[in-house]
Amino acid sequence: MSTSGMTPIESSGQKSIRELTLRGVVLGGLITLVFTAANVYLGLRVGLTFATAIPAAVISMAILRYFADHSVVENNIVQTIASAAGTLSAIVFILPGLVMVGWWSGFPYWVTVAVCAIGGVLGVMYSIPLRRALVTGSDLPYPEGVAAAEVLKVGDSSGGARENRAGLHVIIAGSIMSAVFSLLTKLKVVSDSVSGAIKIGTGGTLFNAGLLMSLIGIGHLVGVSVGVAMLVGLLISFGVLLPVLSQGKLEPADSFYDSVDSFFGGDVRLVGAGAIAIAALWALAKIIVPIIRGIKSALASTKSRREGVSVDVTERDLPMNIVGTTILVLLIPIGFMLWDFVHGTVLGGSAGGIIAVSVVFIFVIGLAVAAVCGYMAGLIGSSNSPISGVGILVVLIAAILIKLTYSGADADQTSALVAYTLFTAAIVFGVATISNDNLQDLKTGQLVGATPWKQQVALIIGVFFGSIVIPPILGLMYEAFGFKGAPGATADSLAAPQASLLSTLAKGVLGDDLNWWLIGLGALIGVVVIVIDESMGRITRFRLPPLAVGMGMYLPMSVTLVIPIGAFLGHFYNRWAEHSGGNVEHKKRMGTLVATGLIVGEALFGVVFAGIVAATGDDSVLAVVGDGFEKWAQALGVIVFVAAIAWLYNWTRKVATHSGSPDLTKS
């Protein structure tokens, strides 16, 4: 039996620990059905999905603990399968676009399965050499990966030592606090945000603080450097760009807030996307050497294992010859799918060029997207990583290449090219969604001593589970509600906001009416931030991560304002631990665990609430007060949120001091 923090050992002298088991696969598949359905629904209704790794880990531990030979690494396999399938559901950010543009009248099952499965498996394959570059050879925080590992470690501990019991109590307290507050927000007794709009001349700006305890936890885990960078991005977008660019350009809406918010979503976010693009290219340039080093290391490990040299289990990836062959073989069905998509259409007979370009595009850009998404997830976590921003860049690049390759298109051909662009981008988006999660899972595996190749197999299994579940749920949602902007839409149709935006962008590029200067402005801002960051790195110990600044510009203020607050809370807590005298690492770990609890509780409640909403079709089903209570709810929300966080951190300090004292930690 493994203990928390130990590395599983496979040798002739010791019994092998159960890791990739049939019961783990079955349990992961069952959890997948629930989580994937919930994520598809939430993604279509509000444009958000939740990370499923931590809830899956909690459920796995609750079930497998009744088996005598369970282990922390077996629980890790279960959460890996469930999280891979759950994150693949973000494909709903683009696939509904094919219905919105009128190309599909539903979701053809096997085609949709193929898009999800091939894109997902490519994402897993691309992630394997990245593991050595971005996980084992990097100091990225991976907040959700670390949180999942802490949950698994505490759950696997015997609980005999008071320190372990204290850790479990801290996680439970944070989880209960977060879940109860989330429940209060759904009851509408307290608000989950404090928002308002400020009129500035003929334009305006927004204020929106999302009262989500998970964001405090994520901020604690990512640290001050990332938090400050996101705050800088927020100030650029909401303090400068939004009030300046919106002058005289606000469209009529139900309220001034809605008008300004619409302008932010349609214009300012394009500037943020440009900043993310240039920052992502810079990040890719900086990590290309570690990536190459990681590939060489993986090849060396494969060669050593083939020659019979013993390689530590924690360094055994899937062999690189299998990885490379799989990637190349998958290009064949990709080419066939693209040909089948245009066969019998106005593009048929003249689409050879765009098919060839698209295959190369998927092959090359897929690797770049995997690296960038993995880096972003390592920076601020999978849940808050701007995957839709990556989708914007993928659609833009695909549309430009296709437009240049297929010149002189008439109106009918242009409409067909829009649909073809979305279909091509969907495959790359599958790579992005998986890469946005896989490296988090591999970080968790590294921290609990998992075998990488077994976890990579579990990721592939999770992709296939998700691929067979997503299409029927998508079809059911479309038949039951419809999508806004699609033929036959009604007032109750699902918004599918990301799919709508990406469809509009594809039309803009191919129809020559996209506002390119906004993206160029963002790229220019990104260059300035890169120069500042590099200069700071040479003369100080502080940095301003450009990608974090770009994400702060792109993401809504409700996210980017609260994460820095959590980062500063974590910073001050750690400073207290360092100056409190003795057991510093234990006290810091208690802080990590309370931050983990804040993420866990909200994620678990999110699963339950998603099920309630899916069953009733009403996202206000739990409300016990009317809209007239909204202002009181905002005030109460701030008071309860601040008081709860203050009490929780103060209580955690006391627990950390008491449980870490020498007389209590002796066993």
Side-chain angles (χ1 to χ4, degrees):
M1 179 69 67
S2 66
T3 58
S4 179
M6 293 182 64
T7 301
I9 301 174
E10 292 180 357
S11 65
S12 57
Q14 291 186 342
K15 182 180 178 181
S16 176
I17 294 173
R18 295 173 65 90
E19 188 169 358
L20 183 60
T21 63
L22 178 60
R23 71 188 182 199
V25 170
V26 171
L27 181 56
L30 293 174
I31 296 173
T32 290
L33 292 173
V34 178
F35 286 4
T36 303
N39 258 340
V40 169
Y41 182 81
L42 290 180
L44 291 173
R45 178 169 285 278
V46 299
L48 296 172
T49 57
F50 58 86
T52 56
I54 294 173
V58 174
I59 294 172
S60 173
M61 288 187 298
I63 295 174
L64 291 184
R65 66 193 295 263
Y66 292 104
F67 294 86
D69 54 352
H70 73 90
S71 68
V72 65
V73 289
E74 185 180 14
N75 281 313
N76 178 57
I77 288 293
V78 176
Q79 71 86 14
T80 297
I81 292 172
S83 67
T87 195
L88 189 61
S89 59
I91 198 77
V92 302
F93 289 172
I94 189 168
L95 275 182
L98 289 165
V99 176
M100 292 176 171
V101 300
W103 192 261
W104 280 357
S105 59
F107 295 93
Y109 182 78
W110 290 112
V111 174
T112 310
V113 167
V115 170
C116 295
I118 291 175
V121 173
L122 269 180
V124 175
M125 293 299 115
Y126 282 140
S127 298
I128 291 172
L130 294 176
R131 182 187 73 84
R132 294 171 184 264
L134 296 180
V135 176
T136 60
S138 167
D139 58 357
L140 289 169
Y142 287 101
E144 289 162 348
V146 171
E150 293 295 343
V151 170
L152 289 168
K153 287 178 181 179
V154 171
D156 189 63
S157 66
S158 64
R162 294 192 181 186
E163 183 176 340
N164 283 339
R165 286 205 303 270
L168 185 59
H169 291 161
V170 166
I171 282 187
I172 292 173
S175 299
I176 292 174
M177 185 75 75
S178 183
V180 169
F181 187 83
S182 295
L183 173 61
L184 291 175
T185 65
K186 300 309 177 186
L187 294 173
K188 304 294 186 182
V189 174
V190 302
S191 177
D192 60 1
S193 67
V194 178
S195 59
I198 304 171
K199 190 174 180 61
I200 303 175
T202 57
T205 190
L206 302 175
F207 172 81
N208 193 337
L211 304 179
L212 301 174
M213 292 194 176
S214 64
L215 297 179
I216 294 291
I218 288 170
H220 183 126
L221 296 176
V222 301
V224 170
S225 179
V226 172
V228 169
M230 293 186 71
L231 194 58
V232 169
L234 179 150
L235 292 173
I236 292 172
S237 278
F238 292 91
V240 180
L241 295 175
L242 186 53
V244 171
L245 297 179
S246 64
Q247 295 297 311
K249 296 181 181 178
L250 297 178
E251 298 291 336
D254 292 339
S255 68
F256 181 69
Y257 181 92
D258 290 340
S259 182
V260 180
D261 188 48
S262 177
F263 188 84
F264 170 75
D267 291 74
V268 177
R269 289 191 90 173
L270 284 180
V271 182
I276 287 177
I278 201 70
L281 290 174
W282 179 249
L284 189 61
K286 293 185 73 172
I287 64 176
I288 194 68
V289 172
I291 288 173
I292 293 172
R293 192 183 302 127
I295 293 173
K296 288 181 178 178
S297 176
L299 287 170
S301 177
T302 299
K303 182 179 178 182
S304 297
R305 290 173 63 187
R306 192 179 299 142
E307 293 174 350
V309 177
S310 177
V311 177
D312 191 272
V313 293
T314 59
E315 290 300 319
R316 297 179 187 175
D317 292 292
L318 283 175
M320 287 303 293
N321 57 330
I322 294 178
V323 173
T325 301
T326 301
I327 292 172
L328 293 176
V329 167
L330 286 176
L331 297 179
I332 298 172
I334 287 173
F336 174 78
M337 282 197 304
L338 295 174
W339 172 84
D340 183 64
F341 190 84
V342 300
H343 179 65
T345 71
V346 292
L347 300 178
S350 57
I354 58 172
I355 291 174
V357 167
S358 298
V359 171
V360 175
F361 167 77
I362 292 168
F363 175 68
V364 176
I365 299 299
L367 178 58
V369 162
V372 170
C373 286
Y375 190 93
M376 290 193 303
L379 205 59
I380 66 167
S382 302
S383 295
N384 297 291
S385 182
I387 191 73
S388 57
V390 174
I392 287 174
L393 301 177
V394 169
V395 168
L396 288 176
I397 296 170
I400 292 169
L401 290 175
I402 290 168
K403 183 178 178 64
L404 292 175
T405 306
Y406 199 105
S407 57
D410 59 28
D412 290 339
Q413 290 171 328
T414 298
S415 297
L417 288 173
V418 169
Y420 178 84
T421 298
L422 293 174
F423 187 76
T424 301
I427 299 173
V428 182
F429 204 80
V431 176
T433 60
I434 288 298
S435 304
N436 190 50
D437 174 79
N438 281 7
L439 294 177
Q440 290 279 3
D441 292 330
L442 292 172
K443 180 65 176 181
T444 300
Q446 177 203 18
L447 294 173
V448 300
T451 308
W453 76 261
K454 293 180 181 179
Q455 201 171 2
Q456 288 151 9
V457 169
L459 288 167
I460 295 171
I461 294 171
V463 165
F464 283 116
F465 275 139
S467 299
I468 62 176
V469 171
I470 290 171
I473 299 172
L474 262 176
L476 178 64
M477 294 299 171
Y478 178 59
E479 291 296 326
F481 302 102
F483 301 138
K484 289 182 179 178
T490 67
D492 296 325
S493 293
L494 298 171
Q498 275 87 351
S500 177
L501 173 61
L502 296 179
S503 302
T504 301
L505 287 174
K507 292 176 184 176
V509 173
L510 294 162
D512 294 319
D513 60 356
L514 185 67
N515 197 337
W516 283 102
W517 88 269
L518 291 174
I519 297 173
L521 175 62
L524 179 61
I525 293 172
V527 170
V528 173
V529 173
I530 289 169
V531 172
I532 293 173
D533 175 57
E534 291 300 314
S535 301
M536 289 176 64
R538 287 183 171 87
I539 61 177
T540 73
R541 61 187 179 89
F542 301 105
R543 301 302 297 258
L544 190 70
L547 202 50
V549 174
M551 288 187 284
M553 293 173 62
Y554 178 83
L555 291 169
M557 184 187 285
S558 58
V559 173
T560 51
L561 182 61
V562 182
I563 288 179
I565 293 173
F568 282 110
L569 273 175
H571 172 72
F572 290 126
Y573 178 90
N574 288 336
R575 285 192 61 183
W576 163 80
E578 291 166 358
H579 295 92
S580 61
N583 291 295
V584 173
E585 291 307 313
H586 165 73
K587 292 172 181 175
K588 285 185 176 181
R589 184 165 181 255
M590 290 298 107
T592 299
L593 290 175
V594 76
T596 298
L598 293 175
I599 299 171
V600 171
E602 192 171 298
L604 287 174
F605 179 81
V607 175
V608 174
F609 183 68
I612 295 171
V613 172
T616 62
D618 180 7
D619 56 7
S620 298
V621 64
L622 297 182
V624 296
V625 295
D627 293 338
F629 193 71
E630 186 174 350
K631 289 186 178 180
W632 286 103
Q634 287 194 10
L636 283 173
V638 173
I639 294 170
V640 174
F641 186 83
V642 171
I645 292 295
W647 178 88
L648 189 61
Y649 269 87
N650 187 55
W651 176 80
T652 302
R653 287 171 54 177
K654 293 178 181 178
V655 171
T657 301
H658 180 68
S659 62
S661 58
D663 59 320
L664 292 176
T665 54
K666 293 177 181 179
S667 56

